[in-house]
Amino acid sequence: MFEIKKICCIGAGYVGGPTCSVIAHMCPEIRVTVVDVNESRINAWNSPTLPIYEPGLKEVVESCRGKNLFFSTNIDDAIKEADLVFISAANAFLAQRISSINSISALCEATGADVEEVATAIGMDQRIGNKFLKASVGFGGSCFQKDVLNLVYLCEALNLPEVARYWQQVIDMNDYQRRRFASRIIDSLFNTVTDKKIAILGFAFKKDTGDTRESSSIYISKYLMDEGAHLHIYDPKVPREQIVVDLSHPGVSEDDQVSRLVTISKDPYEACDGAHAVVICTEWDMFKELDYERIHKKMLKPAFIFDGRRVLDGLHNELQTIGFQIETIGKKVSSKRIPYAPSGEIPKFSLQDPPNKKPKV
């Protein structure tokens, strides 16, 4: 019988780290190495303050770390030396489902279908189920992208390029969904958002948290800032300082973009006051309960709502009666577009991805 002496776990998150720490604690004769591409996470596992809290976990880790439990970013060597490799990354399959339904949302918008109806029909098939079939502006958080990329890395290390490209496409589709949503905003606002006020409602990657890691709001804000839009951002749980830090990252903004183009609002009504458009990026329940008649009265006309989380489903008729132009993920809402161009002429511009150049009039 083959004897296992060395174990490698790919993924130092909420599953991989604690699980393999317990394995090392229970099996002192086995060398357990937990690897991850996230250097700061690995550093935290090697420090007195662990990145994850679970009752008794700190004591388990400290009893084994440096003896038969190791945390490292050296993924290649750990895989080569291991007798057994764990991949902690179920998140990859969940992310795959989200990207799958988001790809269908693009098809629905092009054909006039409703992705919610498609998702309901698909979800009724018991072989598939109805979980994680909610189309949106894209997944975020610290786990999904990291875990998919870990899987991509593993496939490349094992010389499985076709498999690596398959899983990379899950990330690519998520990026595409964000760019596509930003493009729809720009296109609907007559091909330019330069110097226009856009209210961003929600900055956390999902409701009921202040976590902004890999939030789609960051990327939507980037694309709109690149086009010169003035963003007024509101989130009930994310502090101002965190929003500024996220948007000031070198990969997101340049020079003084944030100071010139971003304002953090203290409530949603302040964010929407005088705006050309409202963009919902997080599915906070409170956004369903806002006084949209009050909001519409203080917005510039025509007033647009872009629902990136479909939190306003069921309210479209009411909102259109008020006077809003509605654009939502995975559905082409039939509403007569009101012509508008302050210069007297609508710019001619074809949008595929958010452009790097300003449209010419």
Side-chain angles (χ1 to χ4, degrees):
M1 178 181 289
F2 180 72
E3 188 175 8
I4 295 175
K5 288 292 187 180
K6 294 182 179 180
I7 291 177
C8 169
C9 175
I10 300 176
Y14 284 86
V15 177
T19 300
C20 286
S21 295
V22 172
I23 291 175
H25 181 69
M26 300 297 293
C27 306
E29 74 280 5
I30 297 178
R31 178 186 175 96
V32 180
T33 303
V34 182
V35 295
D36 203 301
V37 295
N38 189 326
E39 186 174 359
S40 61
R41 180 176 288 270
I42 291 297
N43 290 339
W45 279 109
N46 285 319
S47 74
T49 306
L50 302 184
I52 294 170
Y53 172 78
E54 288 188 15
L57 179 61
K58 180 178 173 64
E59 291 75 17
V60 168
V61 171
E62 290 179 345
S63 70
C64 305
R65 190 173 56 198
K67 298 175 183 176
N68 70 320
L69 175 62
F70 302 90
F71 299 92
S72 172
T73 56
N74 192 342
I75 300 175
D76 287 348
D77 287 348
I79 292 174
K80 291 175 184 177
E81 295 174 2
D83 301 314
L84 178 66
V85 177
F86 282 113
I87 303 176
S88 296
N91 282 336
F93 275 78
L94 298 179
Q96 178 198 45
R97 285 174 69 90
I98 295 174
S99 283
S100 294
I101 197 63
N102 280 344
S103 72
I104 299 300
S105 74
L107 181 62
C108 288
E109 290 172 29
T111 59
D114 186 343
V115 73
E116 284 289 292
E117 296 177 359
V118 175
T120 299
I122 294 173
M124 292 176 69
D125 188 329
Q126 293 183 354
R127 298 169 300 174
I128 300 173
N130 60 5
K131 304 299 184 184
F132 283 82
L133 290 178
K134 183 72 173 178
S136 70
V137 73
F139 59 76
S142 64
C143 296
F144 278 10
Q145 177 160 305
K146 171 185 67 66
D147 291 344
V148 174
L149 290 175
N150 276 340
L151 187 54
V152 171
Y153 185 95
L154 174 63
C155 294
E156 290 175 342
L158 296 175
N159 195 28
L160 298 170
E162 292 83 4
V163 182
R165 286 197 296 269
Y166 174 82
W167 286 106
Q168 179 63 47
Q169 189 62 29
V170 173
I171 301 296
D172 294 344
M173 180 56 64
N174 198 52
D175 293 340
Y176 166 72
Q177 186 78 341
R178 293 162 169 169
R179 295 195 310 269
R180 195 174 67 82
F181 187 63
S183 294
R184 190 171 177 184
I185 295 170
I186 298 167
D187 183 46
S188 297
L189 292 176
F190 312 101
N191 296 330
T192 180
V193 292
T194 302
D195 292 330
K196 292 181 179 178
K197 177 178 177 179
I198 309 293
I200 304 290
L201 299 187
F203 202 79
F205 84 91
K206 66 177 182 179
K207 71 174 184 178
D208 300 330
T209 182
D211 192 345
T212 63
R213 288 174 292 181
E214 288 299 322
S215 173
S216 290
S217 300
I218 298 172
Y219 296 90
I220 300 302
S221 297
K222 167 185 167 51
Y223 297 138
L224 296 177
M225 281 194 298
D226 285 346
E227 289 303 302
H230 290 267
L231 307 183
H232 288 243
I233 302 172
Y234 169 75
D235 189 283
K237 292 296 182 182
V238 180
R240 178 188 186 280
E241 294 75 17
Q242 185 62 53
I243 296 175
V244 171
V245 166
D246 288 337
L247 294 182
S248 299
H249 189 278
V252 176
S253 63
E254 299 177 355
D255 303 326
D256 61 343
Q257 268 189 318
V258 174
S259 62
R260 287 189 299 107
L261 299 176
V262 175
T263 300
I264 312 302
S265 301
K266 66 178 184 294
D267 65 63
Y269 297 103
E270 179 185 80
C272 297
D273 191 0
H276 291 80
V278 175
V279 179
I280 299 177
C281 289
T282 309
E283 67 278 22
W284 288 104
D285 291 334
M286 68 175 296
F287 296 154
K288 303 175 186 177
E289 310 298 329
L290 296 178
D291 185 345
Y292 282 98
E293 190 164 358
R294 171 186 170 185
I295 289 173
H296 183 265
K297 286 179 180 178
K298 293 200 171 184
M299 287 180 65
L300 297 182
K301 308 302 185 295
F304 287 84
I305 293 179
F306 297 90
D307 188 356
R309 296 290 178 180
R310 298 198 59 136
V311 299
L312 301 181
D313 280 8
L315 297 177
H316 289 171
N317 289 338
E318 177 184 337
L319 293 171
Q320 286 177 319
T321 300
I322 291 173
F324 282 107
Q325 307 290 300
I326 311 295
E327 300 286 342
T328 189
I329 286 284
K331 183 178 182 181
K332 183 174 288 186
V333 181
S334 57
S335 60
K336 186 176 180 181
R337 184 69 55 81
I338 301 174
Y340 169 79
S343 65
E345 181 181 351
I346 297 178
K348 304 296 189 297
F349 195 87
S350 176
L351 265 176
Q352 297 298 325
D353 291 333
N356 294 320
K357 296 181 180 179
K358 302 294 185 293
K360 297 181 179 179
V361 178

